[in-house]
Amino acid sequence: MTTLLITSLLLIVALLFSLASYKNLFYQIKRTQNEVLARQAHWVAEGGLECGFSYLKESDDISSAKTSLSNCEALLNLDVLDIDNSNYIHSSYYQLAKKDLSKKVLFSPESYGAIQTRSDLKLFGWDNNIA
């Protein structure tokens, strides 16, 4: 009878430890899922910024790009995608997790090549592999 009692107590203790570890495991799974949802929301909002930037790049005008942003909103299921008067693109996504992103767009003059200077540019170099 003593052996049966000790075995029962050991099984109960083992059950309590396993239940405690499963509770911790479920907590870690929930945290991981929340992190995945947060990353998905971030990249959807980032995609909205990129989409808005591409419309700005194509049109070179903020007012005409504003009319095209509804395409990005519908495509990415964004809640807000807007360009304000101070040249900030705002992208917000609230479905999986809440994420708000904004970036400022700077318009620069037309560029004509990969290397630009405002003074004399002298390049010196050689290639030893020329036959």
Side-chain angles (χ1 to χ4, degrees), residues 54-75:
S54 67
Y55 277 118
L56 274 175
K57 187 80 171 161
E58 286 178 5
S59 65
D60 288 332
D61 184 25
I62 292 177
S63 61
S64 63
K66 280 185 179 182
T67 59
S68 303
L69 292 181
S70 61
N71 296 337
C72 295
E73 281 183 347
L75 182 66

Side-chain angles (χ1 to χ4, degrees), residues 124-131:
F124 299 100
W126 62 88
D127 190 359
N128 292 333
N129 296 327
I130 296 177

Side-chain angles (χ1 to χ4, degrees), residues 9-60:
L9 287 175
L10 286 175
L11 285 175
I12 289 172
V13 169
L15 177 66
L16 290 176
F17 279 128
S18 66
L19 289 177
S21 68
Y22 275 115
K23 184 178 180 183
N24 189 24
L25 178 68
F26 288 141
Y27 173 73
Q28 291 296 328
I29 289 171
K30 185 177 179 181
R31 282 189 56 168
T32 304
Q33 287 174 344
N34 288 342
E35 184 66 28
V36 167
L37 292 177
R39 291 284 92 205
Q40 287 175 347
H42 172 79
W43 288 112
V44 169
E46 185 76 27
L49 291 178
E50 291 295 325
C51 188
F53 179 73
S54 67
Y55 277 118
L56 274 175
K57 187 80 171 161
E58 286 178 5
S59 65
D60 288 332

